Amino acid sequence: MFVKYKPKRNLLQTILHTEILQGMALTMRRLFSRPITRQYPDEEIPVALGFRGQHALVRDPETGGSTCVACMRCATVCPSRCIRIRFHDEESRRVVDSYDIEALRCVYCGYCEEVCPVNALVLTEIFEYAAYSRDPFHFTREDLLANWDRFVEERHIDRETYVNPFWRPRGMPEGRLPAAKRLPVPSDWTLEGQVVGAGYDQQ
Amino acid sequence: MHVLVLLLQILVLFAVVMLHVAYATYFERKIIGHMQVRMGPMRVGWHGLLQPIADGIKSFFKEDIIPEQADRPIFLAAPIICLVAMLTSLAVLPFAPGWVLADINIGLIFILAMSSLSSYGVILAGWASNSKYTFLGGLRSMAQVISYEIAMGLSLVGVMMLSGTLNLSKIVEAQGTSFGGMYIFPQIIAFFVFCVAMLAETNRVPFDLPEAETELVSGYATEYSGMRYAMFFMAEYIGMIVMSAIGTICFLGGWNGPFTVPGVPFFWFVLKIYLFLFVFIWIRATLPRYRYDQLMELGWKLLIPLALANIALTGIVKAIIG
């Protein structure tokens, strides 16, 4: 495509500065348009689907604790190495001793919630958790569970529909995903083909 | 007794102009904000109405930093020269019939002289700060003022020829009270040259090369802080007001309007000044900065020949008509 950078002007247009006047007319029109500014602390900012905010461990209503199975995938995939898990073996399963997240090192990439096979870890929509010292950003398992409780209370989240319907590894056929990841995906989230749906196997 | 009355008048004028300067910054930020689909100041007071006062208090109590290698006395004096020169030119402006502090016969020349003098403040600030950015800003200011002062002076010669006087009140009276009497019609070329030169004289966008925050940090004001920095900006805004007043007096018929507003003889004068100030701000929100060589080209190759041609044309027409 040929881009015409400088449109032809005749002498009259040059003398009368029509291009400058066009620009002035544009700014004048904008003067009476609605500003797009959001007055943040007064106005609430709409949070987009899949926003990655404060970390939380989903509280399992049956056990009252976390659903984490200490598979260590999140700690392995984490590019900033901010997740630290300790566990011990008990017969045929692992028991989590401690689950720490150093939030100040986190880059909020969301890989941890993508790989989690049981949807135990989420990055919630909460982003206002500034503090004056470093300590409040070191989340232990209890802190993370409390984060989830607070999130559910504040935003009235339904666990079934919120927890990871769309945080799933890309490009993987549905059949190969862990059972917890095969939840229905909101239709507006699949628009750009970011999430591989059920029909992927045929290709 | 007369001196006391004069002092009181000076005080009132000073206070009113300073208030205008403060709120000119507010309206500038507000209008530019809305033109850029933002909101401008919103926090201090209702819709940010107290913002200029907060700014004033802040700059007043800020630390006055003087660079170690600066030329101290000149560094301290430069903003004062700027501000005083601009404030002095307020004395000769006629706001309404008889409302003028010093009704001198060389009013127009006096204002041109004072506005050149205030650019000394800019140049000295650039020199005395002993920094590359301020120095470049000062040099640019010097070149710009030399180029555009000529164009501005020449553009006003046509007005002087038509009115036959340099006294600002008499220039207004010479234009009469009718709409067609305004000098903008016979002097449309001069008005165009004046408007461009006015922007350059006050260091406003698109001719803000001495300040040029995208290339020279803050130009001549880089090393200044606190109240001295604020003084440069007060000078700039008073300069805008003075230049608007000159444009109003010389081309738009001063205090005359379609009808007289009872009790407010300066109504139309102030309204026209506000119009000019709005155009200043509007242009700032629209146009990018000129390149240095383009600035010089525009000044010397276009504006000065245009102004000279206008003088010749005015003289010929005046000689023929009588």
Side-chain angles (χ1 to χ4, degrees):
Chain A
M1 193 183 76
F2 178 70
V3 180
K4 206 171 168 188
Y5 288 107
K6 206 169 181 182
K8 277 258 182 287
R9 292 171 301 188
N10 59 36
L11 188 64
L12 197 69
Q13 283 173 327
T14 309
I15 291 172
L16 295 178
H17 295 84
T18 46
E19 278 156 345
I20 288 181
L21 293 180
Q22 276 170 10
M24 304 274 281
L26 177 75
T27 43
M28 191 51 131
R29 275 202 304 279
R30 288 298 121 207
L31 178 60
F32 298 105
S33 66
R34 266 183 78 80
I36 56 164
T37 311
R38 291 196 200 100
Q39 295 290 88
Y40 159 58
D42 304 336
E43 269 176 58
E44 223 169 83
I45 292 179
V47 176
L49 213 56
F51 183 88
R52 302 193 289 264
Q54 193 183 33
H55 317 71
L57 278 175
V58 175
R59 197 183 283 280
D60 189 355
E62 287 164 27
T63 62
S66 164
T67 53
C68 179
V69 292
C71 67
M72 303 299 279
R73 285 194 201 179
C74 52
T76 312
V77 79
C78 180
S80 58
R81 294 266 175 273
C82 67
I83 305 176
R84 185 188 177 90
I85 308 170
R86 295 234 167 133
F87 65 90
H88 66 269
D89 288 314
E90 215 171 75
E91 292 169 18
S92 63
R93 52 195 219 77
R94 288 170 171 178
V95 175
V96 181
D97 295 330
S98 70
Y99 191 107
D100 296 348
I101 290 182
E102 190 68 51
L104 290 177
R105 290 184 63 179
C106 178
V107 294
Y108 300 91
C109 60
Y111 286 179
C112 48
E113 41 177 7
E114 239 174 54
V115 295
C116 185
V118 290
N119 289 336
L121 181 65
V122 287
L123 295 173
T124 60
E125 292 171 4
I126 290 173
F127 55 90
E128 294 161 309
Y129 53 106
Y132 284 104
S133 62
R134 283 163 182 269
D135 295 336
F137 295 104
H138 183 92
F139 296 129
T140 62
R141 186 168 49 165
E142 281 64 43
D143 293 335
L144 291 164
L145 287 167
N147 284 348
W148 173 256
D149 292 340
R150 211 176 310 124
F151 175 56
V152 169
E153 198 183 324
E154 268 179 32
R155 305 276 162 117
H156 308 290
I157 295 297
D158 180 27
R159 177 171 163 272
E160 289 301 319
T161 54
Y162 176 74
V163 174
N164 276 350
F166 38 81
W167 290 113
R168 49 171 83 193
R170 305 290 150 86
M172 237 201 280
E174 187 118 335
R176 289 180 55 196
L177 287 172
K181 293 281 183 194
R182 287 184 223 149
L183 291 166
V185 178
S187 58
D188 51 342
W189 188 250
T190 57
L191 276 181
E192 287 162 12
Q194 293 185 54
V195 173
V196 180
Y200 190 73
D201 303 297
Q202 295 160 4
Q203 288 182 353
Chain B
M1 196 59 208
H2 180 69
V3 177
L4 277 179
V5 171
L6 198 64
L7 272 177
L8 193 73
Q9 284 172 340
I10 289 172
L11 216 63
V12 169
L13 181 65
F14 180 74
V16 169
V17 167
M18 277 305 168
L19 210 66
H20 270 82
V21 167
Y23 277 90
T25 63
Y26 171 75
F27 281 111
E28 170 151 26
R29 291 170 67 180
K30 218 54 184 167
I31 289 170
I32 289 186
H34 279 276
M35 280 180 172
Q36 295 167 353
V37 209
R38 299 181 286 117
M39 279 175 166
M42 287 292 283
R43 288 277 144 204
V44 192
W46 185 79
H47 276 243
L49 261 178
L50 298 176
Q51 185 69 47
I53 294 162
D55 284 344
I57 293 170
K58 184 195 80 172
S59 58
F60 192 79
F61 286 110
K62 267 196 145 183
E63 188 188 355
D64 186 14
I65 301 165
I66 300 165
E68 226 167 67
Q69 299 296 314
D71 192 337
R72 212 182 148 89
I74 299 178
F75 184 84
L76 297 182
I80 300 170
I81 293 174
C82 239
L83 187 61
V84 168
M86 276 304 172
L87 279 171
T88 314
S89 42
L90 288 170
V92 295
L93 297 179
F95 295 94
W99 284 43
V100 48
L101 284 178
D103 198 12
I104 55 176
N105 283 328
I106 51 155
L108 208 49
I109 300 277
F110 182 80
I111 282 182
L112 288 178
M114 278 302 150
S115 77
S116 332
L117 203 60
S118 85
S119 72
Y120 270 91
V122 173
I123 295 160
L124 288 177
W127 178 259
S129 301
N130 212 346
S131 142
K132 291 176 190 71
Y133 295 122
T134 60
F135 183 57
L136 278 172
L139 283 184
R140 284 178 179 193
S141 172
M142 199 172 347
Q144 189 172 316
V145 166
I146 289 171
S147 319
Y148 281 82
E149 192 87 320
I150 301 171
M152 170 169 272
L154 289 177
S155 75
L156 292 173
V157 167
V159 174
M160 299 174 198
M161 287 164 82
L162 286 185
S163 62
T165 173
L166 286 173
N167 184 317
L168 293 174
S169 310
K170 288 194 180 127
I171 289 177
V172 175
E173 278 158 20
Q175 295 176 57
T177 51
S178 65
F179 181 72
M182 291 198 299
Y183 282 160
I184 185 175
F185 300 118
Q187 294 291 326
I188 184 75
I189 302 170
F191 183 67
F192 169 73
V193 174
F194 175 81
C195 280
V196 179
M198 170 176 84
L199 292 171
E201 274 286 298
T202 48
N203 293 338
R204 295 284 299 183
V205 177
F207 306 106
D208 62 338
L209 285 108
E211 221 183 295
E213 64 268 12
T214 41
E215 30 190 303
L216 295 184
V217 188
S218 186
Y220 60 89
T222 305
E223 303 292 343
Y224 282 87
S225 54
M227 205 56 208
R228 282 177 209 284
Y229 182 78
M231 274 158 102
F232 276 120
F233 282 86
M234 281 187 237
E236 184 184 320
Y237 281 92
I238 296 170
M240 277 164 66
I241 292 174
V242 169
M243 285 299 155
S244 311
I246 294 292
T248 307
I249 289 164
C250 292
F251 296 102
L252 298 184
W255 59 74
N256 291 317
F259 55 90
T260 49
V261 181
V264 203
F266 52 82
F267 179 81
W268 292 108
F269 186 79
V270 172
L271 201 70
K272 286 167 189 171
I273 284 186
Y274 290 165
L275 189 77
F276 262 105
L277 289 180
F278 176 75
V279 173
F280 267 113
I281 294 167
W282 186 12
I283 287 173
R284 179 170 168 196
T286 310
L287 297 182
R289 188 177 305 123
Y290 261 85
R291 212 171 60 203
Y292 186 68
D293 60 319
Q294 291 173 332
L295 173 92
M296 287 295 138
E297 207 174 282
L298 181 74
W300 290 98
K301 288 189 184 167
L302 181 74
L303 293 186
I304 293 177
L306 257 182
L308 283 171
N310 178 59
I311 293 171
L313 203 69
T314 312
I316 292 166
V317 170
K318 204 168 150 72
I320 292 170
I321 296 173

